[in-house]
Amino acid sequence: MSENLFDNLLRVKSLFRDRRALGHAFNPEDLPHRGNEISALVNNLVEALRGHAPSNMNLYGRPGSGKTAVTRFVCRDLESKGAAEGCKIHTVEINCRNIDTKYRVLAEIGNKLAVEGDEAIPFTGWPADKVFDRVRARMQARAGVHVIILDEIDHLVRKGSEGDDLLYSLTSLNIGLLTGAFCCVIGISNDLAFTELLDPRVQSRLAPIDVVFAPYNAAQLEDVLKPRAMRGIKQDVLDDSVIPLCAALAAKEDGDARRALDLLRISVQQAEQSEVDVVGINHVRKAQNQLEFDQITPTIQDLPLQQKLVLFSILINEKNGLSNISTGEVYGTYEIACENAGERPLTSRRVSSLIRGLDMAGIITAKTTSRGRHGMSKRINSCLPPAFDALKVMHSAEPVMDDVVNARYRLQNRL
Ligand SMILES: Nc1ncnc2c1ncn2[C@@H]1O[C@H](COP(=O)(O)OP(=O)(O)OP(=O)(O)O)[C@@H](O)[C@H]1O
Ligand SMILES: [Mg+2]
């Protein structure tokens, strides 16, 4: 009888106890090294339990610094304390990356506040005033304090006046539009400067308490990982060096706890795939490569054709042993690559700006150096991981690259 496709994998003994404990959606019971941030939220939101409106808040910090986790952690306790004390407290969390217009945010708040018999607010189609009026009426009917969490709010604020208009409406609720109810807005963002993008009138009405989440350092990330590893991974599976290495690598990546958890989870998966019982440093290295590749591949795939041709010109020189090449050298190869692709070459000025774009995307480095009386020149090098086959990725993403990659190039020779 033929084997089932899943048999092989099912035979491998899992090294996880509960893989979800290392996933992004897991809500930990404790958040080490976020005591100050938790206190800032608690000290303000306690007002809701006293029947007053808490101040609005802005939480800032790099990705993976615990903003969403801390907010959910505090709101969970706020709601349960509210229920125990008989205070009416409602929290509504909205991710503005997915729900990114004023209309849709208000409709979402209105629908979350609906009780049986309330009409559902449609995704689109109602006049804006009608949606806002329903939100106001439902807040008032349910009474108490409404904590509105607008996660990743920078996505909304960057969309023209959507953010201004929404915050203006929400902050107007507390100035005479509600009786027996209050509204408090918690905005969460990566961008410290995002309030500067707001209309000054909105800024002054919002008057938020700012809380800045610093990136975690390596020692702190170890403390974040340990309890989650205990819960998620079987005993004696991790070599002692694994957690410190995951923490150190993630600390270098802006102290991102999400990155640290991903590294740990994928390291264990790598060990499982190799059918060994212990996760070691080599599995962490493999996990890091996998994560890097997963991140870089779409960036390279999605480059416009002209930028792919410029990158190709840099990489093909490097592949032939030429590093620190100048813009002129890149341009020389680029012209031939364009010919092979059947594309008209851009001016060298435009190519310089495409090189700057690749530099800003972290794909190459282009350092300006002085050549004495010959003026300034660029030294251009790739900074893709050595094992990453960018030529192959570009080749499979863009059929015309077939003719470019397979052609022969007479490369610059400096000797
Ligand atoms: N102190 C901590 N203890 C345990 N887990 C943590 C801690 N800080 C963050 N995490 C975990 O790291 C992951 C990322 O955290 P979180 O989603 O809160 O980051 P964020 O600051 O909201 O990032 P982003 O700006 O990308 O939304 C989550 O799985 C979260 O549970
Ligand atoms: Mg978040």
Side-chain angles (χ1 to χ4, degrees), residues 140-411:
Q140 187 144 316
R142 294 194 66 182
V145 178
H146 300 277
V147 181
I148 310 293
I149 300 149
L150 300 175
D151 204 350
E152 310 202 32
I153 191 174
D154 26 355
H155 286 271
L156 201 90
V157 172
R158 285 206 202 90
K159 281 188 81 180
S161 61
E162 292 285 326
D164 277 329
D165 291 350
L166 173 70
L167 292 171
Y168 194 82
S169 298
L170 287 177
T171 48
S172 69
L173 287 167
N174 282 346
I175 355 183
L177 291 184
L178 290 173
T179 21
F182 302 104
C183 166
C184 150
V185 178
I186 302 183
I188 306 181
S189 81
N190 287 149
D191 184 357
L192 250 168
F194 106 92
T195 41
E196 287 166 19
L197 298 174
L198 292 173
D199 184 309
R201 283 178 314 152
V202 177
Q203 279 183 39
S204 83
R205 286 172 74 155
L206 202 59
I209 297 176
D210 289 338
V211 185
V212 179
F213 285 60
Y216 294 108
N217 63 32
Q220 291 171 332
L221 284 173
E222 280 193 43
D223 294 337
V224 167
L225 288 179
K226 277 178 197 155
R228 294 186 70 161
M230 263 227 311
R231 196 175 166 134
I233 303 166
K234 288 185 179 156
Q235 216 178 344
D236 299 329
V237 159
L238 294 183
D239 182 276
D240 285 347
S241 51
V242 167
I243 286 184
L245 181 57
C246 292
L249 291 171
K252 275 202 237 157
E253 299 269 340
D254 288 342
D256 181 346
R258 191 180 293 116
R259 177 81 174 191
L261 286 161
D262 286 346
L263 274 171
L264 184 58
R265 192 184 63 254
I266 297 172
S267 305
V268 179
Q269 275 165 225
Q270 289 284 354
E272 276 185 352
Q273 278 161 22
S274 323
E275 300 190 24
V276 296
D277 296 334
V278 176
V279 186
I281 283 185
N282 54 333
H283 300 114
V284 183
R285 295 280 176 212
K286 279 191 189 160
Q288 193 193 15
N289 277 342
Q290 186 182 325
L291 275 173
E292 270 185 24
F293 285 20
D294 291 352
Q295 270 173 0
I296 303 168
T297 305
T299 313
I300 305 281
Q301 272 168 347
D302 295 346
L303 290 175
L305 178 61
Q306 283 291 341
Q307 210 147 17
K308 281 201 182 85
L309 292 169
V310 173
L311 177 60
F312 168 81
S313 310
I314 299 165
L315 297 177
I316 196 79
N317 273 292
E318 241 168 49
K319 205 170 164 195
N320 286 283
L322 227 61
S323 55
N324 288 328
I325 57 177
S326 66
T327 309
E329 287 168 322
V330 174
Y331 195 75
T333 311
Y334 161 81
E335 279 185 307
I336 308 170
C338 283
E339 200 177 303
N340 290 327
E343 286 283 309
R344 237 218 331 242
L346 302 173
T347 60
S348 69
R349 209 185 149 96
R350 278 286 293 136
V351 168
S352 291
S353 102
L354 293 183
I355 290 175
R356 268 200 305 281
L358 291 171
D359 188 2
M360 273 162 55
I363 299 169
I364 61 158
T365 57
K367 283 202 192 104
T368 308
T369 50
S370 162
R371 290 195 302 146
R373 57 198 175 79
H374 297 294
M376 305 300 276
S377 151
K378 282 238 156 58
R379 290 153 68 99
I380 301 168
N381 290 295
S382 140
C383 46
L384 295 170
F388 183 79
D389 193 346
L391 294 183
K392 191 168 154 201
V393 172
M394 291 198 282
H395 191 180
S396 52
E398 197 98 52
V400 70
M401 290 301 286
D402 202 24
D403 298 328
V404 178
V405 173
N406 291 323
R408 291 175 70 82
Y409 290 82
R410 226 167 13 90
L411 299 170

